[in-house]
Amino acid sequence: MQAFIENMPKAELHVHLEGTLEPELSFQLAQKNNITLAYATPEALVAAYDFHDLPSFLTIYYAGMGVLMTEEDFYQLTWDYLAKARSQQTLYAELFFDPQAHTTRGVSFVTVITGIHEAQIAAKAQLGIDSQLIMCFLRDMSAESAMQHLTMAKPYVDWLVGVGLDSDEKNNPPSKFKAVFAEARAMGLKLTMHCDVNQDNTLIHMAQCIDEIEVDRIDHGINSLEDPVLIGKIKDKKLGLTVCPVSNRFVVQSLTAKEVQTMLDNHMLVTINSDDPAYFRAYLNENLIELQNEGQFSKADMATLIANAFNVAWLPLEQKQAYLSILADYVENN
Ligand code: ADE
Ligand code: ZN
């Protein structure tokens, strides 16, 4: 089963580029950029990772990205993730980035997006991994700041496939960003928002995502299972759910395998993803393998989880079908 998972052609739809910053690259960039880190070695940095909820993770995540300064740094970050993903048989990835977490440190929007974009092009040509970019807004910042960043993105709209919403969900409902997301939709972008596991008012937030914002996907969305009305809407609208098992474990001490199985049984379009793999110490294969260990999924279930990701990817139909047929061939022969 482990080999079946590792060699399976895959897609990843929920990964924060800043969350792929490995400790070794942190140290390399800190030295290059004359930044002093609070830890003596990469191992000491990892030992200090102490997450038990979303805010405790976000504090460490935002501190970590302070070493990213130049276009080359963003290129290296993106290239390293795409190379790692390709080594795990990921053929396609949709990548989140958080521009406000960089502009607030004095790093320009153009620096960030150009470094990422150039690495995406190089990785497609040299590694054979295709990717698209999703610009996230930090929900604990103002709607005005989000709108300003959407305006900054206008000259680069062809480099984006969608927008997302992340960071601290407490008291920051989807409705706060209704105008920003309407404008993004008018720019031709797809829409997604985080509904992290066990957040305050999570069912209200999910209903707002679907009814007010009219999202195309929901990130995480585990708690939707508590509300039959939400389940019905998610199924009717064929909304993908980007579940992140190892990330969930830091909050709910479970990989949410039972919930994933319930979603599969309900024919919901659940997908498996890594979220912030350098921090949670698990890329896509490790997420799938650990989930399988907890939930004892069948090969057919594993194949459905991956097929769901290609199905709800923001790709033209022919491209989805090409990936799905590569997956079907693999499943038939393994
Ligand atoms: N930023 C990076 N990872 C995140 C997550 N899982 N939830 C909210 N914001 C994030
Ligand atoms: Zn996330």
Side-chain angles (χ1 to χ4, degrees), residues 148-309:
Q148 282 162 7
H149 284 75
L150 187 62
T151 303
M152 281 180 214
K154 282 194 174 159
Y156 305 93
V157 69
D158 292 347
W159 294 2
L160 298 175
V161 68
V163 294
L165 188 69
D166 61 5
S167 203
D168 197 353
E169 193 164 332
K170 195 177 170 69
N171 299 325
N172 294 300
S175 58
K176 174 176 165 185
F177 297 94
K178 191 168 176 173
V180 178
F181 277 68
E183 178 64 16
R185 170 82 79 206
M187 289 164 61
L189 296 169
K190 298 282 193 183
L191 313 182
T192 187
M193 289 183 160
H194 277 58
C195 293
D196 269 274
V197 65
N198 283 9
Q199 297 297 297
D200 287 358
N201 299 320
T202 185
L203 300 182
I204 296 171
H205 289 188
M206 269 185 270
Q208 286 183 5
C209 275
I210 297 170
D211 299 331
E212 282 187 46
I213 310 294
E214 301 190 77
V215 292
D216 299 288
R217 282 205 303 252
I218 292 177
D219 295 313
H220 298 285
I222 282 287
N223 297 88
S224 63
L225 291 174
E226 295 162 18
D227 181 351
V229 176
L230 278 176
I231 293 175
K233 288 180 181 176
I234 288 168
K235 286 179 64 173
D236 284 352
K237 293 174 190 291
K238 298 189 169 52
L239 296 178
L241 301 174
T242 62
V243 169
C244 306
V246 175
S247 169
N248 285 338
R249 187 170 59 194
F250 286 97
V251 182
V252 294
Q253 287 73 54
S254 145
L255 292 155
T256 61
K258 247 174 70 183
E259 289 83 351
V260 169
Q261 185 68 62
T262 304
M263 288 175 170
L264 284 170
D265 294 344
N266 266 329
H267 303 288
M268 297 165 86
L269 293 167
V270 54
T271 71
I272 302 303
N273 306 272
S274 69
D275 207 1
D276 300 287
Y279 288 93
F280 302 142
R281 315 306 296 153
Y283 284 81
L284 184 49
N285 276 352
E286 291 77 31
N287 270 271
L288 289 162
I289 290 163
E290 294 200 40
L291 179 74
Q292 157 64 20
N293 287 340
E294 185 176 285
Q296 300 300 310
F297 292 88
S298 65
K299 279 188 175 180
D301 283 338
M302 279 288 147
T304 300
L305 290 167
I306 305 302
N308 284 347

